[in-house]
Amino acid sequence: PVGVPGEVFVGSAGLARGYHQRPDLTASRFVPDPFSGAVGARLYRTGDLARYLPDGTLDFMGRIDQQVKLRGYRIELEEIEALLAQHPAVREQVVLAREDQPGDLRLVAYVVPNENQDEVGSQCSVLGSMEAEQVEHWQHLYDDAYRQMQAADPRFSFGGWISSYTDEPIPIAEMTEWADQTAARILGTRPRRVLEIGCGAGLLLFRIAPHCEYYCGTDFSAPVLDSIRHYLSQPEYALPQVALYQRTADAVADLADQQFDTVIINSVVQYFPSVTYLVQVLEAALHAVRAGGQILIGDVRNLALLEAFHTSVQTQRAEPELACDELWARAQQAMAQEEELLLDPAFFVALPQHFRQISQVQVLLKRGQAQNELTRFRYDVLLHVAVTPQQPQDHAWLDWQRDALSLDRVRQVLHDDAPAALGIRAVPNARVLADVYALDLLRNGARPATAEDLRAAQSELSPELGVDPEALWTLSELGYSAALSWAGSAADGSYDVLLWRQTLAMPPVFSTRAERLKPWSEYANNPLREQQSRTLGPLLRRFLQERLPEYMVPSAFVVLDRMPLTPNGKIDRNALPAPERSRRELADALVPPRTPTEELIASVWSAVLGVSPIGVYDNFFALGGHSLLATQVITRLRQVLDRELSLRLLFEAPTIAAFAERLTTQRADASVPLVAVPRDRDLPLSFAQQRLWFLDQLEPGSVLYSIPSVVRLRGSLDHGALQRSLSTIVARHEVLRTTFAVDPSAPTLEPRQQIAPPSELPLPLVELPPEADATTIRAVVQQVVQQPFDLRRGPLLRATLYRQGPHDHILVLV
């Protein structure tokens, strides 16, 4: 009440209306509306804290709101936040006035995108398509990659597995161990009917399917499925129980009626566009698993170790003299540009609260002796479906630090006490100990000076401080089995272990009860954050410009996975990161194009990406590029440079500097023009022909290079016209008329090409009995396919036509 001593917050509409009645109420004021100019159209509270004294005067106490004064304008930050909250693409929002550069006070908006696309609606159709675009990005990349790699044995098709540390392929021995251990983990569950979502090149399929009665593989890449079919057509890899379907991971609902006992989702989750997409995939998988079955989610990247991983990579790649401040900045930048999905193990522990049919969750460390990013920073998860929950047994739990344990001490306890089961918490992980230590040093204000100093500090760590997980699995020699879990995953990489006698009829289980179910986004990073930042910022800017005067529109929009919180659960405004400067502000720090080639590439990038300026060390994909835009860039450069370029080149050299260097190298290699040579002389074999001839000499009669094609022709068929068509093709392509001859009188016995003149290709017509069934026909066709070619006589194309009726033919081309 006016006139009563005490404190009062001044600025409400009611007090403002009393402005004319009480001249001493100066804490609220009317201002002209910036659009209409009418006084009183926009009301601001000043946010002053005041109190009435006994004599009726108003005593100013200070301020209690977030109002700021910017370039002469009073701005209510809460008003901007309230408008941002109305946008369907925004889940959380904070607006701050920051002065990161002295004298440069500006408004910055921080937003967490709305993860529920159903609520986003048509106003954010651009955001709604991001997940589909991300899936398409990976699909284009893998389609292009699989077309260029084919292993002799599908169990060892490791092309594309590149080390983050060296940019070189991960050694075959390490990849083989990884695949064998994963297959062994799955086969340990005794699967019979398997659905593998994202079967890839068949690394697991060809290891597991021989032990199953039915194996269904899906993948979004048509070339990779064609590759698997090619292998399956060969007798040594024939698996009639295998069925293949081209599907994205979230489109397997039509397969649910096949009722599998095992669903495998191995090493594909990292390519999912969001954690909500993963939840949709798991929902479909749960419908496909019958009671008592399980789902294995393999090779999941650990979110709790994300900082340690990027610190580890940058530490190993850094030049010795690189300052640790710069190394730390590189690690932070790599984290911000992370385009793969990482998950906290707590996500899987929380799943049973959302999917009641999940009865048990096992979060398991990767097996393997190799020390690489696969064994150190990834894990597997087994979800048991509709199994009678097993209650955690009452057994002793020790703490590694508190109980001063060591591996020898654990062996002694097992030998002397022979417990039925023993649990140990917080075992220090030797695999990541040095990486976590480096991370702690870089976070510390007194970090080492250079990368060389940092690596020296890592080398001084005692190896006895950590335990390699494989060392605990070796306790099987004492009659104990072990399960190692990251269920209580910590940022230091420590793990829990459960040991039990191998004679126990019912092995114990980890207690994995989540305290509360959090929003899914809190369990994962956001692979689309960079893309959302580029899209959501302009979208929200236009939204606010339509509703606010220009001086109230933030100059920068920062998209976050989640808001930083204080220990009390409130938004920690001091922890909100400074926004990246605009391209124009960064222009001084960018390295401009230095050659005409770099200038040309930069101009094409700017036109396609809509970004300017661009430095020669900017990453195409970090600037917003994806596979579809990469295709546009390559197409334009092909036209401008008048030369053939591979789409893969941009993925391998994603900066202007690297791309221009590759162009220069390729230009030097291709400087000799291709010209036709006379056919009246000896012609050497091409590289591909040399390979073909060599393998034929090594294994005569092999059909490794045979490419069969079987076509069913129904209707009226002109046998002569078909034969003339095939003969025309052979006449057109010399390579089909080429044979390989070795002149015994020549000094080097080197094979040479012999190109036969065009002639009619034989097309024998074989009558099949009308009653021949599919099995008989398949056997007949298989005999033709398995016939070897004679490279000395040719031709290299063989055709046979089978007739089962006047209007029913089968054409076999090999």
Side-chain angles (χ1 to χ4, degrees):
V2 174
V4 177
E7 295 185 1
V8 59
F9 172 70
V10 181
S12 72
L15 284 177
R17 282 193 293 272
Y19 174 81
H20 301 288
Q21 303 171 14
R22 291 289 301 272
D24 54 334
L25 295 182
T26 58
S28 291
R29 66 191 184 94
F30 289 107
V31 298
D33 181 88
F35 302 106
S36 66
V39 175
R42 179 178 294 275
L43 172 66
Y44 284 97
R45 62 183 185 186
T46 64
D48 297 333
L49 179 67
R51 65 178 177 177
Y52 282 110
L53 298 179
D55 60 3
T57 60
L58 193 65
D59 187 20
F60 176 73
M61 302 284 295
R63 303 186 59 81
I64 61 169
D65 72 345
Q66 301 174 20
Q67 189 180 97
V68 297
K69 193 170 184 178
L70 181 66
R71 296 186 296 274
Y73 295 100
R74 287 184 179 272
I75 298 175
E76 290 278 7
L77 300 181
E78 291 179 349
E79 182 178 0
I80 306 173
E81 293 175 354
L83 278 174
L84 284 173
Q86 296 176 19
H87 197 284
V90 176
R91 180 163 61 90
E92 295 181 71
Q93 65 291 321
V94 170
V95 179
L96 294 182
R98 300 186 63 106
E99 191 174 2
D100 298 301
Q101 300 293 330
D104 181 22
L105 184 66
R106 58 175 178 161
L107 297 180
V108 179
Y110 298 87
V111 295
V112 177
N114 187 356
E115 62 185 17
N116 189 344
Q117 293 296 335
D118 293 335
E119 298 177 6
V120 172
S122 59
Q123 297 184 54
C124 278
S125 58
V126 175
L127 290 180
S129 66
M130 282 185 183
E131 290 194 357
E133 188 176 281
Q134 180 81 342
V135 173
E136 191 174 21
H137 160 73
W138 289 117
Q139 183 175 357
H140 277 279
L141 179 60
Y142 277 85
D143 281 355
D144 189 62
Y146 280 124
R147 286 191 184 98
Q148 302 183 42
M149 56 187 182
Q150 182 116 343
D153 189 330
R155 295 168 301 173
F156 304 99
S157 181
F158 298 124
W161 289 85
I162 304 300
S163 168
S164 300
Y165 293 87
T166 63
D167 287 335
E168 298 291 332
I170 298 175
I172 295 294
E174 296 183 12
M175 290 304 308
T176 302
E177 181 189 48
W178 167 84
D180 289 343
Q181 291 288 2
T182 303
R185 176 162 281 171
I186 297 170
L187 290 172
T189 65
R190 298 180 179 179
R192 303 305 304 161
R193 296 181 59 82
V194 175
L195 168 63
E196 184 179 4
I197 299 176
C199 60
L203 292 173
L204 295 184
L205 184 151
F206 286 98
R207 284 173 166 83
I208 298 173
H211 307 279
C212 303
E213 63 184 43
Y214 178 60
Y215 198 103
C216 178
T218 72
D219 202 275
F220 63 4
S221 173
V224 73
L225 293 178
D226 290 340
S227 172
I228 295 178
R229 292 188 183 100
H230 168 72
Y231 290 121
L232 293 175
S233 68
Q234 302 177 27
E236 60 267 39
Y237 299 116
L239 295 169
Q241 68 270 40
V242 171
L244 300 174
Y245 299 90
Q246 186 178 3
R247 298 280 195 285
T248 55
D250 61 337
V252 296
D254 61 323
L255 304 176
D257 58 351
Q258 300 187 31
Q259 286 300 292
F260 304 92
D261 57 52
T262 302
V263 174
I264 302 171
I265 311 173
N266 186 66
S267 201
V268 295
V269 166
Q270 61 265 35
Y271 306 122
F272 287 178
S274 69
V275 65
T276 53
Y277 184 92
L278 171 59
V279 172
Q280 295 169 12
V281 173
L282 291 176
E283 184 174 10
L286 286 166
H287 284 122
V289 177
R290 60 192 181 197
Q294 59 270 327
I295 300 174
L296 178 123
I297 305 100
D299 225 31
V300 184
R301 294 185 62 191
N302 192 341
L303 179 67
L305 295 175
L306 175 61
E307 279 192 296
F309 167 70
H310 282 295
T311 298
S312 173
V313 171
Q314 296 302 324
T315 300
Q316 179 167 320
R317 295 171 69 114
E319 308 84 1
E321 66 278 4
L322 181 72
C324 276
D325 289 345
E326 176 62 21
L327 191 155
W328 177 241
R330 290 182 181 182
Q332 294 296 307
Q333 182 182 22
M335 280 198 305
Q337 295 176 351
E338 181 64 68
E339 290 187 338
E340 293 186 1
L341 179 66
L342 289 89
L343 295 155
D344 192 312
F347 164 77
F348 296 100
V349 176
L351 276 179
Q353 299 184 59
H354 184 75
F355 295 117
R356 299 299 179 184
Q357 60 267 53
I358 297 177
S359 51
Q360 183 184 341
V361 177
Q362 292 178 271
V363 179
L364 306 169
L365 273 69
K366 299 290 291 185
R367 294 294 307 266
Q369 298 288 346
Q371 293 293 319
N372 56 38
E373 59 197 276
L374 304 180
T375 57
R376 293 158 63 197
F377 298 101
R378 304 193 183 199
Y379 60 95
D380 296 338
V381 180
L382 265 176
L383 305 178
H384 297 269
V385 180
V387 178
T388 303
Q390 182 180 344
Q391 296 299 322
Q393 298 178 9
D394 186 18
H395 52 75
W397 277 94
L398 302 178
D399 184 276
W400 190 271
Q401 299 294 339
R402 184 193 63 208
D403 297 306
L405 295 180
S406 65
L407 192 58
D408 290 339
R409 173 61 179 152
V410 171
R411 288 178 176 274
Q412 183 181 353
V413 169
L414 296 179
H415 182 271
D416 296 347
D417 301 343
L422 175 67
I424 306 174
R425 299 198 186 278
V427 181
N429 190 346
R431 292 175 176 175
V432 298
L433 198 65
D435 305 319
V436 172
Y437 179 61
L439 175 61
D440 290 340
L441 290 177
L442 291 177
R443 281 175 172 167
N444 192 332
R447 60 181 62 136
T450 66
E452 185 176 19
D453 296 334
L454 180 62
R455 289 193 283 259
Q458 287 179 297
S459 65
E460 294 175 359
L461 282 175
S462 171
E464 298 179 358
L465 293 176
V467 180
D468 191 297
E470 283 295 328
L472 290 167
W473 275 303
T474 61
L475 295 177
S476 59
E477 62 193 30
L478 299 178
Y480 282 85
S481 295
L484 278 63
S485 176
W486 262 337
S489 182
D492 62 0
S494 59
Y495 55 89
D496 299 336
V497 59
L498 197 53
L499 302 162
W500 67 91
R501 286 186 201 159
Q502 297 171 350
T503 55
L504 286 183
M506 186 68 70
V509 298
F510 283 98
S511 176
T512 54
R513 181 179 303 170
E515 296 182 0
R516 66 181 180 88
L517 184 63
K518 299 182 291 186
W520 295 130
S521 60
E522 296 191 26
Y523 296 106
N525 68 320
N526 180 7
L528 301 178
R529 184 171 66 176
E530 284 290 305
Q531 191 176 350
Q532 286 175 339
S533 297
R534 295 185 294 269
T535 304
L536 193 55
L539 193 70
L540 296 178
R541 184 183 304 279
R542 290 193 298 270
F543 178 78
L544 293 181
Q545 286 173 336
E546 295 170 357
R547 292 161 176 81
L548 291 173
E550 186 62 32
Y551 64 85
M552 293 185 67
V553 177
S555 61
F557 292 83
V558 180
V559 178
L560 302 174
D561 294 342
R562 62 187 62 84
M563 293 291 180
L565 301 178
T566 65
N568 296 326
K570 297 181 179 180
I571 294 178
D572 187 354
R573 296 172 182 268
N574 293 327
L576 291 169
E580 292 185 5
R581 291 171 289 170
S582 69
R583 304 297 301 177
R584 290 296 175 190
E585 292 173 307
L586 286 170
D588 292 339
L590 296 176
V591 178
R594 300 155 297 184
T595 67
T597 301
E598 290 182 347
E599 290 178 357
L600 176 62
I601 299 171
S603 66
V604 173
W605 283 23
S606 293
V608 173
L609 296 173
V611 175
S612 182
I614 296 178
V616 297
Y617 297 113
D618 279 327
N619 187 294
F620 175 80
F621 300 100
L623 294 177
H626 49 73
S627 57
L628 298 180
L629 293 179
T631 303
Q632 295 183 33
V633 167
I634 293 298
T635 300
R636 294 193 184 195
L637 289 175
R638 284 171 182 166
Q639 296 170 349
V640 174
L641 298 173
D642 191 24
R643 57 180 296 190
E644 186 59 30
L645 296 174
S646 168
L647 176 63
R648 187 177 182 84
L649 179 61
L650 186 53
F651 287 95
E652 295 175 345
T655 67
I656 291 176
F659 194 92
E661 182 179 358
R662 293 288 294 274
L663 283 181
T664 304
T665 304
Q666 287 193 356
R667 183 179 296 113
D669 295 340
S671 59
V672 179
L674 293 175
V675 295
V677 297
R679 297 302 191 255
D680 57 356
R681 66 181 67 172
D682 283 345
L683 300 175
L685 302 189
S686 70
F687 290 128
Q689 289 174 323
Q690 289 176 5
R691 184 168 61 249
L692 172 64
W693 179 84
F694 174 79
L695 291 177
D696 185 70
Q697 298 297 306
L698 188 66
E699 188 178 350
S702 171
V703 294
L704 179 63
Y705 266 75
S706 296
I707 304 175
S709 178
V710 182
V711 184
R712 194 75 181 241
L713 304 173
R714 298 190 186 276
S716 180
L717 176 65
D718 186 332
H719 176 267
L722 177 59
Q723 185 175 20
R724 288 192 298 274
S725 299
L726 294 173
S727 298
T728 302
I729 292 174
V730 174
R732 170 67 179 85
H733 296 285
E734 289 181 338
V735 70
L736 297 176
R737 295 184 277 115
T738 299
T739 55
F740 305 81
V742 177
D743 184 358
S745 62
T748 61
L749 297 181
E750 182 180 354
R752 315 295 287 181
Q753 294 188 52
Q754 288 187 343
I755 302 174
S759 62
E760 189 176 80
L761 179 74
L763 181 61
L765 179 62
V766 182
E767 296 286 347
L768 291 172
E771 66 276 8
D773 58 11
T775 302
T776 302
I777 295 174
R778 186 178 296 110
V780 170
V781 170
Q782 190 69 20
Q783 290 179 357
V784 176
V785 172
Q786 293 300 317
Q787 291 178 12
F789 283 88
D790 187 343
L791 298 185
R792 295 171 300 173
R793 294 181 175 85
L796 299 191
L797 174 66
R798 184 169 58 241
T800 307
L801 185 64
Y802 294 91
R803 181 164 61 190
Q804 195 171 12
H807 300 285
D808 191 1
H809 296 77
I810 299 173
L811 176 63
V812 181
L813 295 173
V814 188

